[in-house]
Amino acid sequence: MHAAEAPACAKEQLAYMDAEDKAFAADKDADAAQDALSQAERDRETLIHTDEHI
């Protein structure tokens, strides 16, 4: 019966590691999206100031 438990445990461990990898990738994507939003806001402010001076 122990032989049947080992693969299940290994599968759970692999699933956990996969979930961790996906969570890390999602955090990385969220950081990139936040950076892009911040850049877009800076660009918008630049355009507003440029328009005011034209």
Side-chain angles (χ1 to χ4, degrees):
M1 185 145 208
H2 289 282
E5 291 175 12
C9 181
K11 284 182 183 180
E12 288 175 6
Q13 189 173 19
L14 286 174
Y16 179 79
M17 289 172 26
D18 185 51
E20 277 188 324
D21 289 346
K22 288 179 181 179
F24 178 76
D27 286 344
K28 195 173 166 183
D29 289 346
D31 288 343
Q34 184 62 52
D35 290 344
L37 175 62
S38 296
Q39 182 63 52
E41 289 171 343
R42 288 190 300 272
D43 292 347
R44 183 175 177 271
E45 287 299 315
T46 299
L47 287 171
I48 289 170
H49 292 309
T50 301
D51 185 46
E52 290 172 356
H53 287 94
I54 291 180

